[in-house]
Amino acid sequence: VIRHLIESFSEVDIECLLILLSHCGRSLRSDDPLALKEIVLLVQKKKAQDTKLMSSSRAEYMISAIMDLKNNRRKKQDTVFSEKASKFRKLLGRIKSSAAKSGASKTSSESSLRISLQDILNAETKGRWWKVGASWVGNQYRFTDAPQVEGNNEENTTALSKTEAEHGEDEYLLKIASKLRMNTDRKRAIFCIIMGGTDCEDTFEKLCKSSMLQNKSERDAIRVLMECCGHEKSYNKFYGHLAARICEYQPQSKFSLQLAYWDTFKQFDSMGARKVANLAKLLFHLVITHQTLKILPVIKTIDIPDEDTDENTLIFLTILFSSILDHFEDPAEAKALFARHISQRSDDDETEGDQDEGIRAGLLVFFMETLKSSPKNTKGSRFRKNFKAIVKELDTDGFEGMF
């Protein structure tokens, strides 16, 4: 802030500098003496460049105040200001620690909103990303009396049209968010970030900056991501890359994804086939391409051998496993997805082991009843080789003789 004021160095900037130095100068000298030295050099350079402005009484007073600060000459009011600054520091520290204890963030630093000085200075031209819908509407000359330069009319018109388009896009995204029942400000903000991002990394950075990957916000981010993926006309790999990036940054998001899929399975009867297909391809992407999730723990809540299995569940499982059977060139890799993990189990783990065997038995039935009759299951095909390898891994009753 001080460097910015020294660069412009108008009369108003000089007054602001005096106020800042009187309140924060002592803290700056103790916390960052190198920064204070740099500020002194900048002022001396500015003094040499603009002698008229420096001849004013306020400018001379400011220079003397900086030199007193540099030479550690104290005044009575310095003690008062330093006491006030220490009180405010303690107050801010208590706010951060209470936010961390209440679960708003893991640490006190994560509860702080990461707004930079440039974000504040450019708020009128680039909008306020930390507020939902607070985008720029093209009135960058609202606070200035200077007319536009004629030579820049074309550039100004282009910039204006771009920003108006961005504002219109924000309004459009908020309308879609309402249609998709994004019923909280947090969900609407996450939706606008995901749908308005230029690429995966840009979207991820915006989610981090707006603290949308912390605690409860992280769960909402995962569910909004899956909702966006489901409503695409065809599957977009962007969502798989973004979900994997989030899980890489925050490993507990893997369990949030798993929970979100479990909730999705309960709602299959009210979903469209396109949404089910997109979510199946998203799970394939996360399990195979990024190896973010394990397939058996995710699908264990589906009653696979159930005679009353609805159509959407069959669509989901068929697309998921057909994609897996088509993917691997080496059948051993496909077999490894369903391999038993041999370990010493305690009595408490027996129930979990029984559940795993139940899932494997259900999958075997599904493979033999549904996927065996797939048109892709032709002699010598990759599908057939992977199919045989997986069935042999799942088989406990000699099904492999049926080939």
Side-chain angles (χ1 to χ4, degrees), residues 44-74:
Q44 289 174 347
K45 184 179 178 181
K46 204 72 178 178
K47 180 181 179 182
Q49 290 175 352
D50 194 347
T51 54
K52 287 184 180 180
L53 184 60
M54 285 298 182
S55 62
S56 67
S57 58
R58 297 302 289 171
E60 289 178 358
Y61 179 73
M62 184 205 66
I63 293 171
S64 65
I66 291 176
M67 297 311 294
D68 288 344
L69 186 61
K70 177 190 172 185
N71 299 323
N72 200 21
R73 293 174 188 160
R74 291 181 175 271

PDB file of all heavy atoms in Angstrom, residues 44-74:
ATOM      1  N   GLN A  44      13.256   9.240  -1.136  1.00  0.00           N
ATOM      2  CA  GLN A  44      14.395  10.074  -1.523  1.00  0.00           C
ATOM      3  C   GLN A  44      14.483  10.217  -3.047  1.00  0.00           C
ATOM      4  O   GLN A  44      14.793  11.294  -3.569  1.00  0.00           O
ATOM      5  CB  GLN A  44      15.686   9.475  -0.976  1.00  0.00           C
ATOM      6  CG  GLN A  44      15.819   9.612   0.535  1.00  0.00           C
ATOM      7  CD  GLN A  44      17.034   8.895   1.084  1.00  0.00           C
ATOM      8  OE1 GLN A  44      17.662   8.090   0.389  1.00  0.00           O
ATOM      9  NE2 GLN A  44      17.376   9.184   2.338  1.00  0.00           N
ATOM     10  N   LYS A  45      14.190   9.132  -3.758  1.00  0.00           N
ATOM     11  CA  LYS A  45      14.190   9.175  -5.221  1.00  0.00           C
ATOM     12  C   LYS A  45      13.083  10.088  -5.733  1.00  0.00           C
ATOM     13  O   LYS A  45      13.286  10.883  -6.666  1.00  0.00           O
ATOM     14  CB  LYS A  45      14.007   7.760  -5.762  1.00  0.00           C
ATOM     15  CG  LYS A  45      14.087   7.648  -7.275  1.00  0.00           C
ATOM     16  CD  LYS A  45      13.917   6.197  -7.703  1.00  0.00           C
ATOM     17  CE  LYS A  45      13.938   6.094  -9.218  1.00  0.00           C
ATOM     18  NZ  LYS A  45      13.739   4.679  -9.672  1.00  0.00           N
ATOM     19  N   LYS A  46      11.901  10.003  -5.104  1.00  0.00           N
ATOM     20  CA  LYS A  46      10.771  10.843  -5.495  1.00  0.00           C
ATOM     21  C   LYS A  46      11.071  12.314  -5.198  1.00  0.00           C
ATOM     22  O   LYS A  46      10.683  13.218  -5.952  1.00  0.00           O
ATOM     23  CB  LYS A  46       9.510  10.399  -4.745  1.00  0.00           C
ATOM     24  CG  LYS A  46       8.221  10.767  -5.429  1.00  0.00           C
ATOM     25  CD  LYS A  46       8.001   9.900  -6.661  1.00  0.00           C
ATOM     26  CE  LYS A  46       6.683  10.239  -7.310  1.00  0.00           C
ATOM     27  NZ  LYS A  46       6.449   9.442  -8.534  1.00  0.00           N
ATOM     28  N   LYS A  47      11.774  12.552  -4.103  1.00  0.00           N
ATOM     29  CA  LYS A  47      12.132  13.926  -3.724  1.00  0.00           C
ATOM     30  C   LYS A  47      13.049  14.555  -4.775  1.00  0.00           C
ATOM     31  O   LYS A  47      12.907  15.737  -5.119  1.00  0.00           O
ATOM     32  CB  LYS A  47      12.821  13.905  -2.359  1.00  0.00           C
ATOM     33  CG  LYS A  47      13.232  15.278  -1.852  1.00  0.00           C
ATOM     34  CD  LYS A  47      13.920  15.157  -0.503  1.00  0.00           C
ATOM     35  CE  LYS A  47      14.368  16.533  -0.003  1.00  0.00           C
ATOM     36  NZ  LYS A  47      15.076  16.434   1.291  1.00  0.00           N
ATOM     37  N   ALA A  48      13.976  13.749  -5.300  1.00  0.00           N
ATOM     38  CA  ALA A  48      14.892  14.258  -6.319  1.00  0.00           C
ATOM     39  C   ALA A  48      14.176  14.524  -7.645  1.00  0.00           C
ATOM     40  O   ALA A  48      14.529  15.447  -8.385  1.00  0.00           O
ATOM     41  CB  ALA A  48      16.029  13.254  -6.529  1.00  0.00           C
ATOM     42  N   GLN A  49      13.114  13.740  -7.921  1.00  0.00           N
ATOM     43  CA  GLN A  49      12.404  13.883  -9.194  1.00  0.00           C
ATOM     44  C   GLN A  49      11.436  15.059  -9.184  1.00  0.00           C
ATOM     45  O   GLN A  49      11.282  15.760 -10.178  1.00  0.00           O
ATOM     46  CB  GLN A  49      11.649  12.588  -9.513  1.00  0.00           C
ATOM     47  CG  GLN A  49      12.550  11.418  -9.867  1.00  0.00           C
ATOM     48  CD  GLN A  49      11.765  10.133 -10.051  1.00  0.00           C
ATOM     49  OE1 GLN A  49      10.570  10.078  -9.774  1.00  0.00           O
ATOM     50  NE2 GLN A  49      12.447   9.102 -10.518  1.00  0.00           N
ATOM     51  N   ASP A  50      10.739  15.274  -8.066  1.00  0.00           N
ATOM     52  CA  ASP A  50       9.684  16.299  -8.006  1.00  0.00           C
ATOM     53  C   ASP A  50       9.981  17.265  -6.857  1.00  0.00           C
ATOM     54  O   ASP A  50       9.522  17.091  -5.732  1.00  0.00           O
ATOM     55  CB  ASP A  50       8.329  15.610  -7.815  1.00  0.00           C
ATOM     56  CG  ASP A  50       7.166  16.556  -8.091  1.00  0.00           C
ATOM     57  OD1 ASP A  50       7.397  17.770  -8.177  1.00  0.00           O
ATOM     58  OD2 ASP A  50       6.032  16.062  -8.240  1.00  0.00           O
ATOM     59  N   THR A  51      10.766  18.280  -7.143  1.00  0.00           N
ATOM     60  CA  THR A  51      11.168  19.236  -6.092  1.00  0.00           C
ATOM     61  C   THR A  51      10.032  20.159  -5.685  1.00  0.00           C
ATOM     62  O   THR A  51       9.950  20.592  -4.538  1.00  0.00           O
ATOM     63  CB  THR A  51      12.359  20.082  -6.587  1.00  0.00           C
ATOM     64  OG1 THR A  51      11.999  20.685  -7.842  1.00  0.00           O
ATOM     65  CG2 THR A  51      13.600  19.218  -6.778  1.00  0.00           C
ATOM     66  N   LYS A  52       9.121  20.509  -6.630  1.00  0.00           N
ATOM     67  CA  LYS A  52       8.006  21.420  -6.324  1.00  0.00           C
ATOM     68  C   LYS A  52       7.070  20.813  -5.287  1.00  0.00           C
ATOM     69  O   LYS A  52       6.686  21.455  -4.316  1.00  0.00           O
ATOM     70  CB  LYS A  52       7.219  21.742  -7.594  1.00  0.00           C
ATOM     71  CG  LYS A  52       7.956  22.673  -8.543  1.00  0.00           C
ATOM     72  CD  LYS A  52       7.076  23.037  -9.730  1.00  0.00           C
ATOM     73  CE  LYS A  52       7.808  23.976 -10.687  1.00  0.00           C
ATOM     74  NZ  LYS A  52       6.947  24.325 -11.848  1.00  0.00           N
ATOM     75  N   LEU A  53       6.683  19.545  -5.533  1.00  0.00           N
ATOM     76  CA  LEU A  53       5.760  18.888  -4.607  1.00  0.00           C
ATOM     77  C   LEU A  53       6.421  18.678  -3.245  1.00  0.00           C
ATOM     78  O   LEU A  53       5.786  18.830  -2.198  1.00  0.00           O
ATOM     79  CB  LEU A  53       5.305  17.544  -5.189  1.00  0.00           C
ATOM     80  CG  LEU A  53       4.262  16.768  -4.383  1.00  0.00           C
ATOM     81  CD1 LEU A  53       2.984  17.593  -4.226  1.00  0.00           C
ATOM     82  CD2 LEU A  53       3.956  15.432  -5.031  1.00  0.00           C
ATOM     83  N   MET A  54       7.707  18.381  -3.265  1.00  0.00           N
ATOM     84  CA  MET A  54       8.416  18.126  -2.015  1.00  0.00           C
ATOM     85  C   MET A  54       8.643  19.396  -1.197  1.00  0.00           C
ATOM     86  O   MET A  54       9.002  19.336  -0.031  1.00  0.00           O
ATOM     87  CB  MET A  54       9.764  17.459  -2.320  1.00  0.00           C
ATOM     88  CG  MET A  54       9.645  15.990  -2.705  1.00  0.00           C
ATOM     89  SD  MET A  54       8.934  15.026  -1.366  1.00  0.00           S
ATOM     90  CE  MET A  54       8.972  13.393  -2.083  1.00  0.00           C
ATOM     91  N   SER A  55       8.461  20.563  -1.827  1.00  0.00           N
ATOM     92  CA  SER A  55       8.655  21.819  -1.100  1.00  0.00           C
ATOM     93  C   SER A  55       7.457  22.181  -0.238  1.00  0.00           C
ATOM     94  O   SER A  55       7.528  23.096   0.581  1.00  0.00           O
ATOM     95  CB  SER A  55       8.939  22.956  -2.100  1.00  0.00           C
ATOM     96  OG  SER A  55       7.832  23.129  -2.978  1.00  0.00           O
ATOM     97  N   SER A  56       6.332  21.479  -0.397  1.00  0.00           N
ATOM     98  CA  SER A  56       5.142  21.758   0.419  1.00  0.00           C
ATOM     99  C   SER A  56       5.398  21.351   1.860  1.00  0.00           C
ATOM    100  O   SER A  56       6.209  20.468   2.155  1.00  0.00           O
ATOM    101  CB  SER A  56       3.929  21.020  -0.136  1.00  0.00           C
ATOM    102  OG  SER A  56       4.084  19.630   0.003  1.00  0.00           O
ATOM    103  N   SER A  57       4.654  21.993   2.769  1.00  0.00           N
ATOM    104  CA  SER A  57       4.878  21.755   4.199  1.00  0.00           C
ATOM    105  C   SER A  57       4.520  20.327   4.598  1.00  0.00           C
ATOM    106  O   SER A  57       5.217  19.702   5.408  1.00  0.00           O
ATOM    107  CB  SER A  57       4.050  22.746   5.028  1.00  0.00           C
ATOM    108  OG  SER A  57       2.672  22.614   4.706  1.00  0.00           O
ATOM    109  N   ARG A  58       3.435  19.772   4.004  1.00  0.00           N
ATOM    110  CA  ARG A  58       3.009  18.409   4.361  1.00  0.00           C
ATOM    111  C   ARG A  58       4.035  17.378   3.903  1.00  0.00           C
ATOM    112  O   ARG A  58       4.309  16.393   4.601  1.00  0.00           O
ATOM    113  CB  ARG A  58       1.646  18.091   3.757  1.00  0.00           C
ATOM    114  CG  ARG A  58       0.524  18.962   4.248  1.00  0.00           C
ATOM    115  CD  ARG A  58       0.362  18.878   5.758  1.00  0.00           C
ATOM    116  NE  ARG A  58      -0.184  17.607   6.190  1.00  0.00           N
ATOM    117  CZ  ARG A  58      -0.257  17.218   7.455  1.00  0.00           C
ATOM    118  NH1 ARG A  58       0.222  18.006   8.413  1.00  0.00           N
ATOM    119  NH2 ARG A  58      -0.772  16.054   7.779  1.00  0.00           N
ATOM    120  N   ALA A  59       4.596  17.618   2.704  1.00  0.00           N
ATOM    121  CA  ALA A  59       5.601  16.684   2.193  1.00  0.00           C
ATOM    122  C   ALA A  59       6.857  16.721   3.061  1.00  0.00           C
ATOM    123  O   ALA A  59       7.452  15.675   3.368  1.00  0.00           O
ATOM    124  CB  ALA A  59       5.943  17.029   0.748  1.00  0.00           C
ATOM    125  N   GLU A  60       7.255  17.931   3.474  1.00  0.00           N
ATOM    126  CA  GLU A  60       8.433  18.054   4.344  1.00  0.00           C
ATOM    127  C   GLU A  60       8.199  17.385   5.695  1.00  0.00           C
ATOM    128  O   GLU A  60       9.092  16.725   6.238  1.00  0.00           O
ATOM    129  CB  GLU A  60       8.779  19.540   4.537  1.00  0.00           C
ATOM    130  CG  GLU A  60       9.359  20.207   3.293  1.00  0.00           C
ATOM    131  CD  GLU A  60       9.638  21.683   3.512  1.00  0.00           C
ATOM    132  OE1 GLU A  60       9.343  22.165   4.627  1.00  0.00           O
ATOM    133  OE2 GLU A  60      10.143  22.337   2.581  1.00  0.00           O
ATOM    134  N   TYR A  61       6.977  17.545   6.208  1.00  0.00           N
ATOM    135  CA  TYR A  61       6.640  16.910   7.474  1.00  0.00           C
ATOM    136  C   TYR A  61       6.677  15.379   7.350  1.00  0.00           C
ATOM    137  O   TYR A  61       7.160  14.683   8.246  1.00  0.00           O
ATOM    138  CB  TYR A  61       5.262  17.369   7.938  1.00  0.00           C
ATOM    139  CG  TYR A  61       4.820  16.751   9.229  1.00  0.00           C
ATOM    140  CD1 TYR A  61       5.383  17.138  10.452  1.00  0.00           C
ATOM    141  CD2 TYR A  61       3.837  15.756   9.245  1.00  0.00           C
ATOM    142  CE1 TYR A  61       4.983  16.549  11.640  1.00  0.00           C
ATOM    143  CE2 TYR A  61       3.430  15.173  10.422  1.00  0.00           C
ATOM    144  CZ  TYR A  61       4.009  15.576  11.621  1.00  0.00           C
ATOM    145  OH  TYR A  61       3.615  14.993  12.795  1.00  0.00           O
ATOM    146  N   MET A  62       6.176  14.871   6.214  1.00  0.00           N
ATOM    147  CA  MET A  62       6.175  13.432   6.000  1.00  0.00           C
ATOM    148  C   MET A  62       7.610  12.892   5.918  1.00  0.00           C
ATOM    149  O   MET A  62       7.931  11.844   6.493  1.00  0.00           O
ATOM    150  CB  MET A  62       5.430  13.095   4.706  1.00  0.00           C
ATOM    151  CG  MET A  62       5.300  11.592   4.449  1.00  0.00           C
ATOM    152  SD  MET A  62       5.110  11.215   2.724  1.00  0.00           S
ATOM    153  CE  MET A  62       6.688  11.738   2.082  1.00  0.00           C
ATOM    154  N   ILE A  63       8.496  13.632   5.213  1.00  0.00           N
ATOM    155  CA  ILE A  63       9.892  13.199   5.088  1.00  0.00           C
ATOM    156  C   ILE A  63      10.573  13.188   6.453  1.00  0.00           C
ATOM    157  O   ILE A  63      11.311  12.256   6.798  1.00  0.00           O
ATOM    158  CB  ILE A  63      10.647  14.114   4.102  1.00  0.00           C
ATOM    159  CG1 ILE A  63      10.099  13.919   2.680  1.00  0.00           C
ATOM    160  CG2 ILE A  63      12.148  13.827   4.130  1.00  0.00           C
ATOM    161  CD1 ILE A  63      10.618  14.921   1.676  1.00  0.00           C
ATOM    162  N   SER A  64      10.287  14.222   7.252  1.00  0.00           N
ATOM    163  CA  SER A  64      10.887  14.268   8.597  1.00  0.00           C
ATOM    164  C   SER A  64      10.366  13.121   9.462  1.00  0.00           C
ATOM    165  O   SER A  64      11.124  12.530  10.258  1.00  0.00           O
ATOM    166  CB  SER A  64      10.579  15.617   9.263  1.00  0.00           C
ATOM    167  OG  SER A  64       9.189  15.753   9.499  1.00  0.00           O
ATOM    168  N   ALA A  65       9.068  12.770   9.283  1.00  0.00           N
ATOM    169  CA  ALA A  65       8.496  11.653  10.045  1.00  0.00           C
ATOM    170  C   ALA A  65       9.159  10.334   9.651  1.00  0.00           C
ATOM    171  O   ALA A  65       9.449   9.475  10.509  1.00  0.00           O
ATOM    172  CB  ALA A  65       6.986  11.576   9.801  1.00  0.00           C
ATOM    173  N   ILE A  66       9.408  10.153   8.353  1.00  0.00           N
ATOM    174  CA  ILE A  66      10.073   8.934   7.884  1.00  0.00           C
ATOM    175  C   ILE A  66      11.500   8.860   8.420  1.00  0.00           C
ATOM    176  O   ILE A  66      11.973   7.794   8.840  1.00  0.00           O
ATOM    177  CB  ILE A  66      10.059   8.873   6.344  1.00  0.00           C
ATOM    178  CG1 ILE A  66       8.623   8.643   5.830  1.00  0.00           C
ATOM    179  CG2 ILE A  66      10.979   7.766   5.822  1.00  0.00           C
ATOM    180  CD1 ILE A  66       8.487   8.659   4.331  1.00  0.00           C
ATOM    181  N   MET A  67      12.204   9.994   8.427  1.00  0.00           N
ATOM    182  CA  MET A  67      13.581  10.007   8.932  1.00  0.00           C
ATOM    183  C   MET A  67      13.621   9.742  10.434  1.00  0.00           C
ATOM    184  O   MET A  67      14.521   9.056  10.930  1.00  0.00           O
ATOM    185  CB  MET A  67      14.253  11.345   8.603  1.00  0.00           C
ATOM    186  CG  MET A  67      14.394  11.632   7.106  1.00  0.00           C
ATOM    187  SD  MET A  67      15.091  10.265   6.168  1.00  0.00           S
ATOM    188  CE  MET A  67      16.748  10.210   6.832  1.00  0.00           C
ATOM    189  N   ASP A  68      12.632  10.290  11.166  1.00  0.00           N
ATOM    190  CA  ASP A  68      12.538   9.994  12.605  1.00  0.00           C
ATOM    191  C   ASP A  68      12.307   8.504  12.834  1.00  0.00           C
ATOM    192  O   ASP A  68      12.878   7.907  13.756  1.00  0.00           O
ATOM    193  CB  ASP A  68      11.393  10.796  13.232  1.00  0.00           C
ATOM    194  CG  ASP A  68      11.726  12.280  13.332  1.00  0.00           C
ATOM    195  OD1 ASP A  68      12.915  12.631  13.209  1.00  0.00           O
ATOM    196  OD2 ASP A  68      10.783  13.085  13.513  1.00  0.00           O
ATOM    197  N   LEU A  69      11.459   7.929  11.980  1.00  0.00           N
ATOM    198  CA  LEU A  69      11.169   6.494  12.089  1.00  0.00           C
ATOM    199  C   LEU A  69      12.421   5.673  11.779  1.00  0.00           C
ATOM    200  O   LEU A  69      12.737   4.696  12.475  1.00  0.00           O
ATOM    201  CB  LEU A  69      10.043   6.132  11.111  1.00  0.00           C
ATOM    202  CG  LEU A  69       9.491   4.708  11.161  1.00  0.00           C
ATOM    203  CD1 LEU A  69       8.883   4.416  12.530  1.00  0.00           C
ATOM    204  CD2 LEU A  69       8.445   4.508  10.073  1.00  0.00           C
ATOM    205  N   LYS A  70      13.155   6.099  10.757  1.00  0.00           N
ATOM    206  CA  LYS A  70      14.381   5.396  10.374  1.00  0.00           C
ATOM    207  C   LYS A  70      15.418   5.447  11.495  1.00  0.00           C
ATOM    208  O   LYS A  70      16.092   4.448  11.796  1.00  0.00           O
ATOM    209  CB  LYS A  70      14.945   6.027   9.101  1.00  0.00           C
ATOM    210  CG  LYS A  70      16.268   5.412   8.642  1.00  0.00           C
ATOM    211  CD  LYS A  70      16.883   6.228   7.524  1.00  0.00           C
ATOM    212  CE  LYS A  70      18.285   5.718   7.205  1.00  0.00           C
ATOM    213  NZ  LYS A  70      18.958   6.553   6.210  1.00  0.00           N
ATOM    214  N   ASN A  71      15.542   6.622  12.131  1.00  0.00           N
ATOM    215  CA  ASN A  71      16.537   6.814  13.193  1.00  0.00           C
ATOM    216  C   ASN A  71      16.014   6.437  14.574  1.00  0.00           C
ATOM    217  O   ASN A  71      16.691   6.684  15.579  1.00  0.00           O
ATOM    218  CB  ASN A  71      17.012   8.266  13.199  1.00  0.00           C
ATOM    219  CG  ASN A  71      17.678   8.654  11.885  1.00  0.00           C
ATOM    220  OD1 ASN A  71      18.375   7.841  11.280  1.00  0.00           O
ATOM    221  ND2 ASN A  71      17.444   9.879  11.430  1.00  0.00           N
ATOM    222  N   ASN A  72      14.800   5.884  14.613  1.00  0.00           N
ATOM    223  CA  ASN A  72      14.188   5.401  15.854  1.00  0.00           C
ATOM    224  C   ASN A  72      13.995   6.501  16.887  1.00  0.00           C
ATOM    225  O   ASN A  72      14.215   6.318  18.085  1.00  0.00           O
ATOM    226  CB  ASN A  72      15.025   4.258  16.452  1.00  0.00           C
ATOM    227  CG  ASN A  72      14.217   3.417  17.422  1.00  0.00           C
ATOM    228  OD1 ASN A  72      12.972   3.417  17.378  1.00  0.00           O
ATOM    229  ND2 ASN A  72      14.891   2.699  18.296  1.00  0.00           N
ATOM    230  N   ARG A  73      13.580   7.681  16.413  1.00  0.00           N
ATOM    231  CA  ARG A  73      13.252   8.779  17.329  1.00  0.00           C
ATOM    232  C   ARG A  73      11.775   8.684  17.672  1.00  0.00           C
ATOM    233  O   ARG A  73      10.905   8.785  16.804  1.00  0.00           O
ATOM    234  CB  ARG A  73      13.540  10.115  16.649  1.00  0.00           C
ATOM    235  CG  ARG A  73      15.018  10.365  16.380  1.00  0.00           C
ATOM    236  CD  ARG A  73      15.190  11.629  15.584  1.00  0.00           C
ATOM    237  NE  ARG A  73      16.563  11.814  15.150  1.00  0.00           N
ATOM    238  CZ  ARG A  73      16.927  12.594  14.143  1.00  0.00           C
ATOM    239  NH1 ARG A  73      15.984  13.270  13.482  1.00  0.00           N
ATOM    240  NH2 ARG A  73      18.184  12.708  13.800  1.00  0.00           N
ATOM    241  N   ARG A  74      11.486   8.497  18.907  1.00  0.00           N
ATOM    242  CA  ARG A  74      10.108   8.277  19.355  1.00  0.00           C
ATOM    243  C   ARG A  74       9.437   9.576  19.789  1.00  0.00           C
ATOM    244  O   ARG A  74      10.091  10.484  20.301  1.00  0.00           O
ATOM    245  CB  ARG A  74      10.068   7.276  20.510  1.00  0.00           C
ATOM    246  CG  ARG A  74      10.436   5.870  20.104  1.00  0.00           C
ATOM    247  CD  ARG A  74      10.355   4.909  21.262  1.00  0.00           C
ATOM    248  NE  ARG A  74      10.596   3.544  20.853  1.00  0.00           N
ATOM    249  CZ  ARG A  74       9.651   2.719  20.434  1.00  0.00           C
ATOM    250  NH1 ARG A  74       8.398   3.134  20.362  1.00  0.00           N
ATOM    251  NH2 ARG A  74       9.959   1.487  20.083  1.00  0.00           N
TER     252      ARG A  74
END
